[in-house]
């Protein structure tokens, strides 16, 4: 009886560990499931309705426009042209997505996370200073910063869920990079926007204590994020 209980416990632990270990979208159970905004469809996979396979065409797996630079005329000097399941239906259930990044001189993709996917980035033009910060797994552990200067042809990986960034450090030159993600919709959560630009806002007392600053400083920083919360 004790052996049976121990075996059952091992199976339960194995099930939990294997369910947690998936670092990307689940594997599809069919060739494809082209997303369609049609509530009359009867198959719902990964939060999207599936287009009737008989109506699927090559254009469902095609996109264009990544040769065009994004508009970097903003406070960050940075633009993302993303291809994910929300604008590229053929990606549904495939567990991948793609993006073009454009950086003005000294443009910044600010510290952020992609909560649902790892990212692999390749520079095709310019020079980027990139990095990510680890999480902590113990009371005496510090967050570690890993950084690198990237040139055209260089590749860098950002693990899923970790805070990371890219800064164009080229001298008065733009930069361009492309990235692939291990999720059809990896998400994009800018740390500063989440903390100081959320709706409704996080209580000033919480942020003041977390950052060990006066509430007036919190109010000032928050005012800088009223223009955007994307």
């Amino acid at each position: 009886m004790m052996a049976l209980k121990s075996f059952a416990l091992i199976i339960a632990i194995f099930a939990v560990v294997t369910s947690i270990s998936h670092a990307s979208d689940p594997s599809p159970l069919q060739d494809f499931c082209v997303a369609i905004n049609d509530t009359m469809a009867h198959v719902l996979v990964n939060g999207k309705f599936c287009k009737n396979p008989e109506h699927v065409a090559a254009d469902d797996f095609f996109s264009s426009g990544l040769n065009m630079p994004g508009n970097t005329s903003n406070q960050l000097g940075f633009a993302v042209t993303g291809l994910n399941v929300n604008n590229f239906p053929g990606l549904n259930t495939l567990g991948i997505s793609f993006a073009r990044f454009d950086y003005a001189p000294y443009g910044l993709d600010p510290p952020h996370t992609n909560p649902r996917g790892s990212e692999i980035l390749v520079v095709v033009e310019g020079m980027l200073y990139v990095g990510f910060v680890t999480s902590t797994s113990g009371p005496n552990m510090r967050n570690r910063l890993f950084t690198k200067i990237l040139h055209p042809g260089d590749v860098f990986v950002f693990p899923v869920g970790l805070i990371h960034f890219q800064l164009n450090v080229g001298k008065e030159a733009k930069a361009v990079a492309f990235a692939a993600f291990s999720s059809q919709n990896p998400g994009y959560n800018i740390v500063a926007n989440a903390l100081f630009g959320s709706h409704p806002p996080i209580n000033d007392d919480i942020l003041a204590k977390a950052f060990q600053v006066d509430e007036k400083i919190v109010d000032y920083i928050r005012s800088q994020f009223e223009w955007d919360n994307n």
Side-chain angles (χ1 to χ4, degrees):
M1 187 67 177
M2 183 63 69
L4 181 61
K5 289 183 178 179
S6 299
F7 178 74
L9 179 60
I10 292 172
I11 293 297
I13 293 174
F14 178 76
V16 170
V17 171
T18 53
S19 66
I20 293 174
S21 66
H22 291 291
S24 59
D25 298 343
S27 298
L29 301 177
Q30 63 286 315
D31 287 344
F32 52 77
C33 169
V34 175
I36 184 173
N37 293 321
D38 181 6
T39 56
M40 296 302 292
H42 297 293
V43 180
L44 184 68
V45 181
N46 280 13
K48 300 289 184 180
F49 290 103
C50 293
K51 191 174 186 178
N52 186 330
E54 297 298 323
H55 301 159
V56 172
D59 281 347
D60 291 314
F61 306 100
F62 170 81
S63 184
S64 62
L66 289 186
N67 61 313
M68 302 298 294
N71 183 8
T72 58
S73 298
N74 52 60
Q75 286 90 333
L76 296 173
F78 172 71
V80 180
T81 305
L83 292 178
N84 56 55
V85 69
N86 295 318
N87 57 15
F88 196 174
L91 292 178
N92 192 41
T93 74
L94 300 186
I96 56 173
S97 54
F98 200 71
R100 171 181 172 140
F101 299 154
D102 287 279
Y103 311 80
Y106 305 107
L108 172 69
D109 183 5
H112 66 279
T113 66
N114 302 121
R116 292 180 293 275
S118 296
E119 173 183 349
I120 183 167
L121 177 140
V122 57
V123 176
V124 297
E125 182 179 347
M127 184 168 59
L128 296 178
Y129 171 67
V130 307
F132 68 86
V133 181
T134 65
S135 60
T136 57
S137 57
N140 297 320
M141 294 187 63
R142 287 190 170 189
N143 302 88
R144 293 185 63 192
L145 172 64
F146 293 87
T147 64
K148 196 75 175 176
I149 297 290
L150 303 184
H151 301 88
D154 290 344
V155 177
F156 200 81
V157 172
F158 304 106
V160 58
L162 298 186
I163 295 174
H164 58 284
F165 59 86
Q166 304 106 40
L167 173 68
N168 180 5
V169 292
K171 295 181 178 179
E172 304 299 329
K174 68 177 184 177
V176 180
F178 290 89
F181 302 87
S182 63
S183 170
Q184 66 180 31
N185 187 17
Y188 184 67
N189 193 21
I190 298 176
V191 176
N193 288 36
L195 291 174
F196 296 99
S198 66
H199 298 287
I202 298 174
N203 188 284
D204 283 3
D205 292 340
I206 295 174
L207 294 177
K209 188 168 186 177
F211 287 93
Q212 296 293 289
V213 297
D214 188 89
E215 288 187 23
K216 292 181 179 180
I217 296 178
V218 172
D219 290 337
Y220 172 76
I221 297 175
R222 193 193 303 279
S223 70
Q224 306 305 303
F225 292 89
E226 293 177 350
W227 62 273
D228 192 10
N229 189 39
N230 293 324

